[in-house]
Amino acid sequence: MDERRRRFEALMLPHLDAAYNLARWLTRNVHDADDIVQDAYLRAYRSFDGFRGEDAKPWLLAIVRNCHRSARERARAMIAVPLAADDGTGPDRDEAAGWPASAVEDPEAQAMRTDAARALAGLLAALPETYREVLVLREFEELSYREIASIIDSPIGTVMSRLARARAMLREHWLAAHGDGT
Amino acid sequence: MACDREHLVHAYLDGELDTAAALEFERHLASCPTCSPLLAALRQLRAALAKDHFYRRPPAGLRGEVLRRLDREDVETARARRSEVGVWRRLGEALARRREWLAGAATGFVLASLAAALLFALMLPGRDERLAQSLIDAQLRSLRSDHLVDLASSDRHQIAPWMAAQADVAPPISDFADRGYALIGGRIDFVETRRVGVLVYRHGAHVINLFVWQFYDQAPTAAMARDGYRMQVWQAQNLVFCAVTDAPEPELDAFVSLVRGRLD
């Protein structure tokens, strides 16, 4: 095994859990998450020469996010055949759909220890992607605003406003479903 | 009741305020009827989002699967490198043979050969050069085998899903027949070791290949020309576009600005 490969593994493999967790929350699907992670690692490896020794985790997670986005674009192109004038600039599908009536079925959610946690996972999975991703990166990966901004390729101000909106939405829907819980 | 510092509650909760700002905000919290309940509620939400319930762990086989993909990539890279080395070894042998033929005239020719070898070494192709050569090779292959397209169509709704499935790219596609650049179809090709999508246009007697692939790398040089072909490379929407043609430069420029105009 050559030096480049050794260095890549040493820097990137420790973030496999984070890559998978992000892919799962983005795709909301076990099989797609697997594919996205494999794809992301291969792409990361191919562009490893462009890695300038910055933080490995945000660098890798940005690639995971890109892989997810391009997979979704592809899926959309397949679906969009009969539609006229779909040039890929339409609104985000999640956002266009607003708040879906039910969260995507998630097998792991079955194993949730409490009903409350399961319900909350459902609500989180149903958040529009732009809000879901910042919340996942902040709450589960505990990344800083700056790191999240670099992953979603947006200013810090955008991270802050999306995070606030994401929490407000999650709380609102939680309270609607379960009362104020106090 | 609204408070104009409400947005700071999140930054405070997330530890994004520096010490001075955090202290000041704590003083504000003590007396603010909006921020302090909000902070409590957000803390509750955070507790409910406890990582052990929500963190998705990868399946046991994923790490091995990733490593196998890297292994395959290493094998392919090594193969590509070997064939490159092979070219240089053959050149070296040719030079050596020439030296034998000219053995009588000794030193002068040996020096000349060394100089030639050095020159070749200096001409070793760089990254962009290899990419350019690979693009032109792809173009020549398609012209020589009279196989310009895999899918003959000017209907972007037919080409887009096909290309997405075959080459992993979903570029925006436009036909510019009314401007003299007619879309005649799509092709899947290999550039270096990458599978790329090619949109093929006809312009008078010339063919323009528009190569498209996912961008995850450093950008190649913007414009290159060699062997009577010229190319322009640019990036948009996370994709690399490269137009290659033997058409004259102003006509390539016009084509590129049509495509880019449609993209921007």
Side-chain angles (χ1 to χ4, degrees):
Chain A
M1 193 161 58
D2 69 3
E3 184 51 38
R4 178 175 181 272
R5 167 82 182 259
R6 239 193 307 273
R7 194 167 153 258
F8 179 82
E9 287 190 12
L11 280 166
M12 301 299 163
L13 278 184
H15 305 300
L16 184 67
D17 282 11
Y20 183 78
N21 180 56
L22 178 62
R24 268 297 293 278
W25 281 107
L26 288 177
T27 61
R28 301 177 292 194
N29 169 305
V30 183
H31 293 294
D32 290 349
D34 252 48
D35 288 347
I36 297 289
V37 169
Q38 291 184 34
D39 212 15
Y41 267 91
L42 186 60
R43 284 181 183 176
Y45 190 45
R46 284 181 181 164
S47 47
F48 191 47
D49 294 337
F51 178 74
R52 296 274 169 263
E54 60 267 41
D55 268 347
K57 188 169 167 180
W59 187 79
L60 181 69
L61 294 185
I63 295 178
V64 170
R65 179 177 182 269
N66 282 339
C67 285
H68 163 67
R69 298 207 141 207
S70 52
R72 201 187 46 187
E73 284 299 316
R74 275 199 305 282
R76 196 176 304 173
M78 300 292 281
I79 293 163
V81 189
L83 299 177
D86 186 344
D87 53 0
T89 57
D92 187 285
R93 186 167 35 184
D94 285 343
E95 300 203 68
W99 188 270
S102 67
V104 171
E105 188 48 33
D106 181 342
E108 260 181 43
Q110 307 294 328
M112 285 277 166
R113 256 182 275 160
T114 66
D115 288 347
R118 193 181 308 151
L120 188 56
L123 294 176
L124 176 57
L127 277 187
E129 187 175 300
T130 40
Y131 300 105
R132 194 180 344 125
E133 65 184 0
V134 290
L135 206 53
V136 166
L137 291 170
R138 175 58 228 166
E139 296 299 335
F140 305 148
E141 299 305 340
E142 291 159 34
L143 295 175
S144 70
Y145 289 179
R146 183 183 301 281
E147 289 169 318
I148 297 171
S150 83
I151 292 170
I152 67 166
D153 196 21
S154 303
I156 287 182
T158 307
V159 174
M160 293 177 75
S161 61
R162 284 191 190 162
L163 206 46
R165 180 90 188 94
R167 285 168 171 157
M169 286 166 103
L170 201 53
R171 262 187 78 214
E172 201 179 300
H173 289 269
W174 178 250
L175 294 179
H178 297 84
D180 64 6
T182 50
Chain B
M1 200 198 306
C3 170
D4 62 355
R5 295 201 224 177
E6 218 178 297
H7 63 284
L8 288 177
V9 177
H10 294 270
Y12 177 74
L13 176 78
D14 292 326
E16 294 276 340
L17 295 180
D18 62 36
T19 317
L23 282 173
E24 206 210 306
F25 188 69
E26 277 166 9
R27 276 196 295 277
H28 166 76
L29 266 179
S31 62
C32 179
T34 304
C35 291
S36 112
L38 177 60
L39 180 64
L42 290 178
R43 283 196 167 132
Q44 215 180 345
L45 181 67
R46 169 159 292 171
L49 285 169
K51 216 171 150 178
D52 50 339
H53 281 154
F54 291 87
Y55 207 85
R56 303 293 186 240
R57 306 283 169 191
L62 185 60
R63 187 190 161 95
E65 204 48 57
V66 165
L67 291 175
R68 270 192 293 282
R69 293 276 294 259
L70 298 184
D71 287 343
R72 276 205 295 276
E73 177 71 7
D74 282 342
V75 169
E76 276 181 29
T77 313
R79 191 178 298 145
R81 201 174 296 149
R82 264 201 304 281
S83 64
E84 216 169 83
V85 169
V87 170
W88 296 108
R89 190 188 302 131
R90 281 197 295 281
L91 264 173
E93 283 163 5
L95 283 171
R97 275 200 300 279
R98 202 167 112 172
R99 264 207 306 274
E100 281 164 28
W101 294 341
L102 301 170
T107 40
F109 286 99
V110 171
L111 283 177
S113 305
L114 282 174
L118 183 65
L119 190 64
F120 277 118
L122 290 174
M123 283 163 52
L124 258 173
R127 201 186 132 77
D128 283 356
E129 291 277 288
R130 280 203 306 277
L131 176 65
Q133 192 58 56
S134 184
L135 287 161
I136 288 169
D137 288 347
Q139 175 117 348
L140 289 174
R141 255 195 325 271
S142 82
L143 291 169
R144 214 177 286 137
S145 58
D146 204 22
H147 186 74
L148 294 179
V149 294
D150 295 324
L151 177 71
S153 169
S154 61
D155 180 359
R156 62 202 174 105
H157 298 304
Q158 199 181 345
I159 299 176
W162 171 81
M163 188 165 282
Q166 301 284 318
D168 210 19
V169 284
I173 299 174
S174 301
D175 185 10
F176 305 105
D178 52 336
R179 311 292 292 271
Y181 299 87
L183 178 63
I184 60 172
R187 192 174 77 241
I188 305 305
D189 222 315
F190 284 88
V191 170
E192 298 191 287
T193 54
R194 243 185 243 110
R195 235 172 129 78
V196 303
V198 191
L199 296 169
V200 187
Y201 292 83
R202 196 180 281 288
H203 174 65
H206 304 287
V207 170
I208 302 177
N209 276 333
L210 181 60
F211 295 83
V212 189
W213 64 88
Q214 290 281 347
F215 169 75
Y216 282 109
D217 233 335
Q218 277 161 298
T221 310
M224 288 171 277
R226 70 196 279 165
D227 305 342
Y229 284 86
R230 58 200 115 260
M231 60 184 74
Q232 283 196 27
V233 188
W234 72 96
Q235 287 166 52
Q237 301 175 359
N238 237 0
L239 297 170
V240 178
F241 292 81
C242 182
V244 183
T245 185
D246 58 349
E249 200 165 349
E251 290 166 40
L252 174 60
D253 287 346
F255 173 74
V256 169
S257 55
L258 276 176
V259 177
R260 299 192 73 162
R262 203 55 65 95
L263 289 171
D264 298 335

